[in-house]
Amino acid sequence: MIQSLAFLLTAAALCLGACGKGVEAEEFQLDGANYRTAQQKLAHGKRLAVLLGCESCHGSTMQGTNVSADEPEMGEMNAPNLSLLMPRYTDAEFEHALRKGVPKDGREFWFMPSEGLQFLGDADMAALIAYLRTIPPGGKPMPPLRKGALFFHLIDTGEMRPAPEIAERFRKEQPADIGSQHRYGRYIAMLVCSECHNSRLQGYVDFTPDLDIAGAYSAEQLEQLLVTGKGITSRDLGMMGDTVRARLNRLTPHERGALIGYLKARAERPQ
């Protein structure tokens, strides 16, 4: 069950995600969003495609994969072939899907991390879409998602909800605001941590810990974790280590430092 829920929460791309900026009064942006040239814009978009998990499920060619191939009880969680879908969408339609978890044909989306993408800054979103449009169409359409017994069980228990419902909850429930000096780090956490550690970073029962666990690490140890995927001990961190090596090690030093500062301040806040 833990492994399956881990898969569900990190299979970040069977769909497209969430429109509307959430409740943040100020808009932040990731490093590189101040691009001046088309080349800089595309390079930034490519980094975001990795950091935000597009490649993790759709593949580097965006032709889609069955992300539950190792968990047949889930059914077939086929991430669609975005290289074929992108030409059918205008930029506005694609952004709406990314931010709302609702495609233009009205199908129900599952597993798309709209909960984080809804907060992505405009310049970041424009770069991501621009980069995805450079990927040439190829391959075949992926088969429709086929729900297995475990998938239905997780729906029945409430452990999995459609992307728009998750995005709405995350708009209403956000991580603790520790002060203006940590708001950028809080924003980074909303983009890259909440997907697995829940809306307020409180974790999921029997799945991921409350990120107050950051209090057990020094800033230097958190730096090592976010760069290498290695924790305090030699213990294999499993999904966390894999996620760092596949995605989170693409954070810039500035982004990583802000995130570490926020997580430490959150762990040390008065309860």
Side-chain angles (χ1 to χ4, degrees):
M1 176 65 72
I2 294 175
Q3 182 183 5
S4 299
L5 185 54
F7 152 72
L8 290 173
L9 294 171
T10 57
L14 282 189
C15 354
L16 308 153
C19 189
K21 284 292 188 297
V23 300
E24 292 289 280
E26 51 192 322
E27 179 181 297
F28 294 100
Q29 61 184 24
L30 295 169
D31 292 342
N34 61 342
Y35 44 80
R36 299 290 184 87
T37 68
Q39 183 178 14
Q40 291 172 341
K41 181 178 184 179
L42 294 179
H44 183 53
K46 180 175 176 59
R47 180 174 80 96
L48 297 186
V50 177
L51 176 63
L52 300 178
C54 303
E55 289 193 1
S56 295
C57 290
H58 296 280
S60 60
T61 62
M62 296 297 150
Q63 292 182 17
T65 62
N66 174 11
V67 294
S68 65
D70 294 332
E71 282 195 278
E73 66 272 24
M74 282 299 301
E76 295 179 1
M77 305 296 100
N78 294 311
N81 186 333
L82 288 187
S83 77
L84 298 180
L85 287 175
M86 285 291 294
R88 305 178 191 177
Y89 280 74
T90 66
D91 286 358
E93 289 169 339
F94 195 67
E95 179 174 355
H96 178 82
L98 286 173
R99 293 195 188 279
K100 281 291 186 188
V102 180
K104 68 178 185 178
D105 63 8
R107 288 179 295 115
E108 189 172 63
F109 270 164
W110 297 84
F111 313 127
M112 185 60 193
S114 302
E115 63 268 26
L117 289 175
Q118 65 185 316
F119 302 116
L120 194 63
D122 289 338
D124 292 309
M125 179 64 75
L128 176 61
I129 293 175
Y131 167 70
L132 292 176
R133 288 204 182 279
T134 68
I135 297 176
K140 299 178 180 179
M142 290 295 291
L145 179 148
R146 182 182 65 81
K147 302 173 184 177
L150 181 56
F151 185 102
F152 285 112
H153 171 74
L154 293 173
I155 294 174
D156 291 342
T157 61
E159 294 176 85
M160 178 51 58
R161 306 304 307 160
E165 292 185 27
I166 297 176
E168 176 63 21
R169 178 168 72 83
F170 276 54
R171 274 194 291 274
K172 296 176 179 178
E173 303 172 7
Q174 298 188 11
D177 188 340
I178 311 298
S180 59
Q181 72 274 31
H182 291 298
R183 283 184 184 143
Y184 186 61
R186 174 175 176 263
Y187 171 69
I188 301 297
M190 291 164 69
L191 288 181
V192 302
C193 300
S194 62
E195 180 182 339
C196 290
H197 291 275
N198 215 335
S199 57
R200 296 192 176 105
L201 309 183
Q202 72 271 38
Y204 287 95
V205 176
D206 297 326
F207 172 44
T208 52
D210 188 310
L211 282 183
D212 277 351
I213 197 173
Y217 285 70
S218 68
E220 292 74 19
Q221 289 167 334
L222 285 174
E223 174 87 10
Q224 172 183 269
L225 172 62
L226 291 172
V227 171
T228 68
K230 297 179 180 179
I232 297 174
T233 70
S234 60
R235 181 175 65 89
D236 185 355
L237 296 183
M239 185 187 67
M240 179 62 192
D242 292 341
T243 300
V244 168
R245 289 183 286 270
R247 295 171 49 182
L248 299 187
N249 61 8
R250 300 303 181 94
L251 289 167
T252 67
H254 169 240
E255 292 163 350
R256 192 164 56 246
L259 175 60
I260 290 169
Y262 171 72
L263 293 178
K264 291 290 289 180
R266 178 182 177 274
E268 295 163 4
R269 73 195 185 283
Q271 299 295 323

